[in-house]
Each structure stands twice: as C-alpha cells, then as structure tokens.
C-alpha cells in the first residue's frame, strides 16, 4: 500500500541562497480526510517530510476535547499539538441566491473577540450556466473596503483538481491548489501553496470549507451534512 504522506528529500541550498530559495519553493502538504483519533471524523495533514502539520478531530457531538460545548457549524483546524489555529464556521443564509456561506476565523471562534479573516461563498449556479464556467466559490477577505470577491476557486473539488486564483487577474497563476495524489485513493490529496498571500493554514481553512460544500454525501468523510458535489 502506498504511503499517505510524501517521502521527499529536502533540497540543500547553496550557501548564501537559503532565504531566497525557501521563498521560491511552494509548500506541499498531504491531506488525508481521516482523523488519527478513534471514533473521530476529520483531517490529518502531513508536511513534505512526513511530519504532522495540521489536524481536525471532530466527534459526533458538539463537544470539543471534552471541555466545552461547541457550535455544530464549527470545524476547527489545529496544529500538531492540538492548538486551535482557525475555525471554519457555517453561516445560514435565508436567500438561496447567496449560496452556501462559510467564515474563517483566526483561532478559536468560540472565544470572545475572534477575528474573522475570510468569507468563502459557494458560486451561485444560474439557469444558463456556461460550460466554460469552472468557478466553485468566491473568497472575500473580511475587513476589506471592497465588497468584490478577492479570490475565486476554479476547477473541481470532487475530482481533486482545483485552484485558488486572484479574481482581479484573469488566468493568474494559482495561489494554492488541490491536486490528486496518485495510487492512494480519493481520501488523500496534495495541497500546494505557492503564493505568500495564502499561507498553509489559511489554505487548509479554505479546503475545509470546500470539502463541506463539494465533498459529497459520504458519512465517512463528511463533517457536516452536504447536498451536492462539483
């Protein structure tokens, strides 16, 4: 059976070029749609050396770590030690035209004063959708003066082939991408982060929102109820 995490040697940079090369190299993570904890659903994310980078461990109830009650709409991204880094929270919209809407918060959103970072909204599919329209979602940095979406997600999450791009730069290079990982099945994929505007944790927060919107109805991989795939 193929390994879940990558086994990639870390390149050694020439003397005096370490900082420059690190800035140019994309961050490659391996995402496994499975929790390492028994009787939990979630994600386990490995770095390029096979070390644990992030995790999502979600029990069937709204309890979190046995310590407090948590909103059923919350999914919490943690570091390897279990510290909350981001909370991805579903927002219920009365108008269907607004689409499914998620907000990514800094840290634990159950704490007072948690700062909202991003809004991730499912792309509204009209009656006359063009075949060339590959838009899945719109991402808006919160606190920005502009109401226009700053980024778009294009491609197919269900096929593990989608990318986050700058909405103002048509055909721009991807800031972050979900790519299929060969020979390990649909529950394991790569997350490649290539732009400093989208760090690894924030990119993983977007992946969590996409998984809830488009990951399918399988109870094995679903953290919250979902209705359709793309």
């Amino acid at each position: 059976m193929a390994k879940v995490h990558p086994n990639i040697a870390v390149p050694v940079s020439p003397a005096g070029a370490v900082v420059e090369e690190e800035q140019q190299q994309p961050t490659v993570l391996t995402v496994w749609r499975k929790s390492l904890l028994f009787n939990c659903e979630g994600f386990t994310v490995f770095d390029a050396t096979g070390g644990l980078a992030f995790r999502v461990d979600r029990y069937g109830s709204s309890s979190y770590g046995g310590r407090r009650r948590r909103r059923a709409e919350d999914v919490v991204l943690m570091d390897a030690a279990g510290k909350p880094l981001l909370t991805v929270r579903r927002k219920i919209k009365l108008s269907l035209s607004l689409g499914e809407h998620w907000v990514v918060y800094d840290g634990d959103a159950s704490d007072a004063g948690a700062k909202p970072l991003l809004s991730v909204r499912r792309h509204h599919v009209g009656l006359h959708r063009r075949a060339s329209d590959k838009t899945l979602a719109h991402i808006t940095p919160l606190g920005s003066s502009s109401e226009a979406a700053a980024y778009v997600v294009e491609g197919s999450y269900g096929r593990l082939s989608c990318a986050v791009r700058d909405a103002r730069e048509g055909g721009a290079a991807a800031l972050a991408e979900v790519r299929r990982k060969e020979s390990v099945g649909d529950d394991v994929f790569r997350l490649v982060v290539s732009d400093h505007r989208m760090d690894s944790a924030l990119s993983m927060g977007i992946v969590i929102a996409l998984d809830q919107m488009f990951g399918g109805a399988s109870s094995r991989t679903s953290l919250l109820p979902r209705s359709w795939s793309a």
Side-chain angles (χ1 to χ4, degrees), residues 157-207:
Y157 181 78
R159 295 185 178 91
L160 301 179
S161 178
C162 60
V164 179
R165 305 184 190 278
D166 192 316
R168 297 156 295 188
E169 301 173 7
L175 283 68
E177 296 177 83
V178 169
R179 300 178 183 172
R180 183 175 294 277
K181 182 174 171 63
E182 301 79 8
S183 306
V184 289
D186 290 341
D187 283 346
V188 181
F189 55 88
R190 298 187 195 278
L191 174 59
V192 182
V193 183
S194 305
D195 194 287
H196 65 88
R197 289 173 287 176
M198 195 69 62
D199 65 23
S200 298
L202 207 55
S203 298
M204 190 60 208
I206 293 171
V207 166

Side-chain angles (χ1 to χ4, degrees), residues 9-15 18 21:
V10 178
V12 178
S13 302
V18 175
E21 183 152 330

